[in-house]
Amino acid sequence: MSHSIEITRTTSHKTKPAVDRLGFGIHFTDHMFIMDYEAGKGWYSPRIVPYQPISMDPAAKVFHYGQTVFEGLKAYRTNDEKILLFRPQSNFKRLNRSNVRLSIPAVDADLALEALQQLVAIDRDWIPAEEGTSLYIRPFIIATQAALGVAPSTKYQFIIIMSPVGAYYAEGVHPVKIFVESDYVRAVKGGTGDAKTAGNYAAGLKAQEEAAEKGYSQVLWLDGVHKKYIEEVGSMNVFFKINGTVVTPALNGSILEGITRHSMLQLLAHWNIPVEERTLSIQEIYDAQRDGTLEEAFGTGTAAVISPIGELNWKGEKLVIGDGGTGQLSQKLYDTLTGIQTGAVADPFGWTIEVRQ
Amino acid sequence: MSHSIEITRTTSHKTKPAVDRLGFGIHFTDHMFIMDYEAGKGWYSPRIVPYQPISMDPAAKVFHYGQTVFEGLKAYRTNDEKILLFRPQSNFKRLNRSNVRLSIPAVDADLALEALQQLVAIDRDWIPAEEGTSLYIRPFIIATQAALGVAPSTKYQFIIIMSPVGAYYAEGVHPVKIFVESDYVRAVKGGTGDAKTAGNYAAGLKAQEEAAEKGYSQVLWLDGVHKKYIEEVGSMNVFFKINGTVVTPALNGSILEGITRHSMLQLLAHWNIPVEERTLSIQEIYDAQRDGTLEEAFGTGTAAVISPIGELNWKGEKLVIGDGGTGQLSQKLYDTLTGIQTGAVADPFGWTIEVRQ
C-alpha cells in the first residue's frame, strides 16, 4: 500500500527549552502525526501537522470507557550526528497486541514506522545531544466516537507526539527505595495488565502517592491473586540477581512485555549469564538476602533504562540490597544498552535503525 | 460558599430527535456544565455553556494514564410536568469516593447538585415524556495536564453532559442471555473495581464482544482470584432469588456500589423479603437450579433499572432460569422503582428530588 503522508509544516517554531530544564514529557516538539479511523472505512488521512490541541466531543468514549492504548520509545542523537531509533518495530507490534485486548482496530506497523521516520526527521533539531538526553516518542490511540453505550468505538485517532527529555540520571545511575505493595493491585491475569493501556496506570497512581508519602520512589507490585509473587516495579519490569543467576518474573498475562526487559534478557544470554524467567515470590527475595545470595535488583523501562533498587520495604521489614549502591551488573547493562542506543557501542542485535534525514 | 454558575445560552438550538430514534447516549442536549481545576487554585469557573467540543492537548493525562471518573443518573418527566432527579446526592458522593481511588481532587457535592439542577432546568425541553424514556445525565472528570510523567494530574475538568434516551424496553421488560466469563477479569480487590472509572469498562469490552459473537448479551463476571464467585453482570450489579431469599454479592472491594442496587435492597427490606449480601459462587446457582430453588435472576443499573436474566452459559453448561421469562419479583421491582422515578408511585424513601423550573 502507499504510505502517502500529508505534511503541513508549522509556521511558528517553538522556543526549545534549555537542556537542563527538559524534564520528562513536559515539552513537546513542533509537529505531531495524526491518522483517523472510521468503521467501514479503516485508517485514513495519515498526516503530519503542527503540534496542536485536538478537538474532542465530551462524549468521546476514551473519556468514559478508557478505550486507549499507547507506546513509548526514544530517538537518540549519535556523536556523528546520526539519529537512531531503538527497536521501533517492537513497539508497533506490541501496540497491535494491546489493540487486540482493547478491541481497537490494528494499525499498519509499516505505515506507523514510516510516519515515525518522517516525524522524527522533521523535528530532528529537537533531539538533544547531551549525554543521557533523548527524544521520547509517544504513539497512542484514542476512541473518539461520541456515544455513551458501553461498546467498542467506531472512530479512533492514532497520534504520535514527541518530547525532548533530560538525563534520567543527571549525577550517574543511582538506586531507589521501593515499597512492596500489599493492598493495591495493578493488574491480574484476565485483566489488561499485559496490554499497554491507560487503566493500568490509573490503577497505580494511588499506591504510588501513598508510597511517596512514606519516602519511597515507587511500589513493587505483587500478584493480585496470592499477594505473594513479584510482578513489576512502578511501571517497569523487575530483575533480581541471586547467587549469580538473573531472575525476572515470567510473562504470566498480568505483566507488560517490556522491550527493555527483552533487550536485557538478550544481552544477558549474549554474555552467558544464567537467566531465569519464572514465578518469583517476595519471600524468596527476603530469604536470599538472609542467605547472603541476593546480589542486585533493578527495574527496566524506556524512561530510565535501568533503575537499580537499593532498598525494599515489605510490611515494615526493610531490606538493603548489596551495599545499597548500584550493582556491577546493573551498571554494565545500563552502560551497554545506552551505548547501543546512542551508537557509542556496536549493536550486534540489529536493534537500532537510523532515521533518514 | 457561593455557587455562582455563569450561564452562556446557545444561540442555535439543535433539532431534537424523534422519540423512537433516541437510542442511548447518542444525542446530546443544547448545553453542558464545565468547571476547571488547577493545583493550588482548586476548582474554579463553574459554567453552563452550549454543548461543544473541548480542546485537549494530545499529552493530556486522561489519554495516557486513564485518570478519570464518571457517574450516571437520570432525570424523569412526571405526568404533571414536574422533573425528578433520582438520588443525585448518592451519585456525587460516589463520584468523590471514586476520586479518592483515582487521586483526583474532590468536588463540592452541593455545587455539583446545584449545577445539575440549573443544567437540567435550562435543557428541560429535552426530557422526553413517553413511557420508559428519560434524560440520561453523565457527570465526569478528566485529567487535562499535558505531561507524560506517571503521576496524578495538576489540572482537571469536571463536565456534565446530558442525553435524552429511549425506552430500554420498547416492548416490555424482557430477559437476556448471559455468558459466564471464565477467562477475562473485570477487576480484583485492590484494583479499581469499586470506583466508577474508565479502565474497568475498557477491561470488559473484549469479553463482551466475544460473548456477543456467541449470541449472549452480556457477561457475568466472576472474581479474578478464584474464578468462582459472582461479581457483576455486564456493567450492572446482579441479584438471584433462591428459595424465597434474594441474594446479591457483598461489596468486597472489586464490585461497584450501585445506586440502583442499594435502592433494590431498600425496597426488598421494605417489603420484608429476606435479603442476603454475601459471597455467592456460580456453582451455588447451578446447584440451586438442580434443586429447583433458583427462582429469578436479574441485573440492576441506571440504564435498564432491571435486566432479567433468562439464561446462563457457564463453560458450555446452559441453565434456563424459571420459564426463561421475567420473574414476578423482577417485574415488581422494575414497576415500583420506575414508578417512583417517574412520580407515578409514592416515594416513601425520599429518593427523588424535584428540579426547580
Side-chain angles (χ1 to χ4, degrees):
Chain A
M1 68 172 284
S2 117
H3 294 157
S4 170
I5 296 167
E6 193 189 351
I7 295 173
T8 309
R9 286 179 188 264
T10 185
T11 52
S12 61
H13 291 275
K14 291 188 269 191
T15 304
K16 295 182 183 63
V19 72
D20 59 340
R21 304 194 59 186
L22 286 176
F24 178 82
I26 49 177
H27 303 284
F28 297 91
T29 66
D30 279 329
H31 296 87
M32 61 198 273
F33 172 79
I34 311 191
M35 179 165 66
D36 299 301
Y37 177 92
E38 232 179 276
K41 189 170 177 180
W43 289 105
Y44 66 95
S45 191
R47 59 201 185 273
I48 289 170
V49 297
Y51 188 96
Q52 61 192 277
I54 50 178
S55 175
M56 300 282 293
D57 194 291
K61 290 204 177 192
V62 62
F63 296 139
H64 304 274
Y65 306 130
Q67 204 191 1
T68 175
V69 294
F70 72 90
E71 276 300 325
L73 71 161
K74 285 179 174 176
Y76 304 85
R77 187 183 293 280
T78 70
N79 282 334
D80 52 352
E81 288 296 316
K82 288 179 188 161
I83 299 168
L84 299 181
L85 291 168
F86 185 70
R87 308 188 74 178
Q89 301 96 328
S90 299
N91 289 95
F92 292 123
K93 269 186 205 156
R94 185 171 63 184
L95 185 74
N96 275 331
R97 290 201 302 277
S98 298
N99 280 337
V100 170
R101 181 63 185 85
L102 274 297
S103 300
I104 295 175
V107 298
D108 177 340
D110 293 335
L111 170 57
L113 184 56
E114 176 60 27
L116 182 56
Q117 279 263 6
Q118 293 191 26
L119 183 62
V120 172
I122 285 176
D123 279 342
R124 58 160 299 171
D125 291 349
W126 282 87
I127 309 174
E130 288 73 8
E131 191 178 335
T133 64
S134 59
L135 184 72
Y136 181 80
I137 300 164
R138 171 58 59 91
F140 65 107
I141 300 176
I142 50 177
T144 55
Q145 185 194 6
L148 299 181
V150 180
S153 181
T154 58
K155 292 182 182 175
Y156 300 88
Q157 282 196 315
F158 173 56
I159 300 175
I160 305 177
I161 55 176
M162 307 194 298
S163 166
V165 298
Y168 198 90
Y169 299 110
E171 295 161 358
V173 176
H174 60 84
V176 292
K177 291 166 67 183
I178 299 291
F179 186 79
V180 182
E181 180 58 52
S182 298
D183 295 323
Y184 296 110
V185 173
R186 173 187 170 273
V188 71
K189 190 181 172 186
T192 57
D194 60 351
K196 208 159 172 71
T197 184
N200 298 335
Y201 298 81
L205 293 174
K206 184 74 179 161
Q208 186 187 317
E209 257 192 339
E210 292 184 8
E213 283 163 19
K214 295 174 194 131
Y216 293 84
S217 301
Q218 290 288 350
V219 299
L220 184 76
W221 296 108
L222 300 180
D223 77 284
V225 174
H226 309 93
K227 303 273 178 81
K228 279 167 63 175
Y229 302 108
I230 292 170
E231 298 243 316
E232 297 190 9
V233 58
S235 50
M236 294 182 284
N237 293 116
V238 66
F239 291 73
F240 295 86
K241 182 159 169 262
I242 304 172
N243 204 19
T245 296
V246 177
V247 186
T248 191
L251 301 174
N252 60 357
S254 57
I255 293 174
L256 189 74
E257 190 174 348
I259 292 161
T260 311
R261 172 187 185 277
H262 188 252
S263 306
M264 294 301 174
L265 292 174
Q266 282 184 264
L267 270 179
L268 292 165
H270 189 65
W271 294 336
N272 293 311
I273 293 174
V275 174
E276 295 174 2
E277 292 180 73
R278 62 171 171 84
T279 303
L280 176 65
S281 73
I282 182 68
Q283 185 63 54
E284 181 178 342
I285 300 304
Y286 275 70
D287 289 348
Q289 170 77 350
R290 195 194 50 218
D291 300 345
T293 56
L294 179 61
E295 294 159 5
E296 299 186 30
F298 54 93
T300 66
T302 293
V305 181
I306 288 263
S307 181
I309 299 172
E311 183 183 322
L312 292 175
N313 181 334
W314 181 32
K315 297 180 176 173
E317 204 180 330
K318 291 184 188 180
L319 178 162
V320 175
I321 297 170
D323 59 0
T326 298
Q328 278 193 336
L329 181 63
S330 305
Q331 186 71 52
K332 187 180 172 190
L333 284 164
Y334 178 83
D335 292 342
T336 308
L337 197 62
T338 56
I340 292 173
Q341 288 170 333
T342 56
V345 168
D347 172 12
F349 305 100
W351 284 337
T352 55
I353 70 166
E354 195 180 331
V355 174
R356 299 185 312 269
Q357 295 182 57
Chain B
M1 67 172 285
S2 121
H3 292 160
S4 170
I5 297 167
E6 194 189 350
I7 297 173
T8 309
R9 285 178 189 265
T10 185
T11 52
S12 61
H13 291 275
K14 292 188 268 193
T15 305
K16 293 181 184 64
V19 72
D20 59 342
R21 304 194 59 185
L22 286 176
F24 178 82
I26 49 177
H27 303 285
F28 296 91
T29 66
D30 278 329
H31 296 86
M32 61 198 272
F33 172 80
I34 310 191
M35 178 164 67
D36 298 301
Y37 176 93
E38 231 180 275
K41 189 169 176 180
W43 289 105
Y44 66 95
S45 191
R47 58 202 185 273
I48 290 171
V49 296
Y51 187 95
Q52 61 192 277
I54 50 178
S55 175
M56 299 283 293
D57 193 291
K61 290 205 176 192
V62 63
F63 295 138
H64 304 273
Y65 306 129
Q67 204 190 2
T68 175
V69 294
F70 73 89
E71 277 299 326
L73 71 161
K74 285 179 174 175
Y76 303 86
R77 187 182 295 280
T78 69
N79 283 335
D80 53 352
E81 289 295 315
K82 288 179 187 161
I83 299 169
L84 299 181
L85 291 169
F86 184 70
R87 308 189 74 178
Q89 300 96 328
S90 299
N91 289 93
F92 292 123
K93 268 186 205 157
R94 185 172 64 184
L95 186 73
N96 276 331
R97 289 201 301 277
S98 298
N99 280 337
V100 170
R101 181 63 184 86
L102 273 297
S103 301
I104 294 175
V107 298
D108 177 341
D110 292 335
L111 169 58
L113 184 56
E114 176 61 27
L116 182 56
Q117 279 263 7
Q118 294 191 26
L119 182 63
V120 172
I122 285 176
D123 278 343
R124 57 161 298 171
D125 291 347
W126 282 87
I127 308 174
E130 289 73 7
E131 191 178 335
T133 64
S134 59
L135 184 73
Y136 182 79
I137 299 163
R138 172 59 57 93
F140 64 107
I141 300 176
I142 51 177
T144 55
Q145 184 195 6
L148 298 181
V150 181
S153 181
T154 58
K155 293 182 182 176
Y156 299 88
Q157 282 197 313
F158 173 56
I159 300 176
I160 305 176
I161 54 176
M162 308 195 297
S163 166
V165 298
Y168 198 90
Y169 298 110
E171 295 161 358
V173 177
H174 60 83
V176 291
K177 291 167 66 183
I178 299 291
F179 186 79
V180 182
E181 180 57 52
S182 298
D183 295 324
Y184 296 110
V185 172
R186 175 187 168 273
V188 71
K189 189 179 172 189
T192 56
D194 59 351
K196 207 160 174 71
T197 183
N200 299 334
Y201 299 80
L205 293 174
K206 185 74 179 161
Q208 186 186 317
E209 258 191 338
E210 292 184 8
E213 281 163 20
K214 296 175 192 129
Y216 293 84
S217 301
Q218 290 288 350
V219 300
L220 184 76
W221 297 107
L222 300 181
D223 77 284
V225 174
H226 308 92
K227 301 273 178 77
K228 280 164 64 172
Y229 302 108
I230 293 170
E231 299 242 317
E232 298 190 9
V233 60
S235 51
M236 294 182 284
N237 294 116
V238 66
F239 290 73
F240 296 86
K241 182 160 171 260
I242 303 171
N243 204 18
T245 295
V246 177
V247 186
T248 192
L251 301 174
N252 60 358
S254 57
I255 294 174
L256 189 75
E257 190 173 348
I259 292 162
T260 312
R261 174 187 184 276
H262 188 251
S263 306
M264 295 300 175
L265 292 174
Q266 281 184 265
L267 270 178
L268 292 164
H270 189 66
W271 293 337
N272 293 313
I273 293 174
V275 175
E276 295 175 1
E277 292 178 76
R278 62 171 171 85
T279 303
L280 175 67
S281 74
I282 182 68
Q283 186 62 56
E284 181 178 343
I285 300 304
Y286 275 69
D287 290 348
Q289 170 77 349
R290 197 194 49 219
D291 300 345
T293 56
L294 179 61
E295 295 160 5
E296 299 186 31
F298 54 93
T300 66
T302 294
V305 181
I306 287 261
S307 181
I309 299 172
E311 182 184 323
L312 291 175
N313 181 333
W314 180 34
K315 296 180 175 173
E317 204 179 330
K318 291 183 186 181
L319 179 162
V320 175
I321 297 170
D323 60 1
T326 298
Q328 277 193 338
L329 181 62
S330 305
Q331 187 70 53
K332 186 179 173 190
L333 283 165
Y334 178 83
D335 292 341
T336 308
L337 197 61
T338 56
I340 291 173
Q341 288 169 333
T342 57
V345 169
D347 172 11
F349 305 100
W351 283 337
T352 55
I353 70 166
E354 195 181 331
V355 173
R356 300 185 311 268
Q357 295 181 58

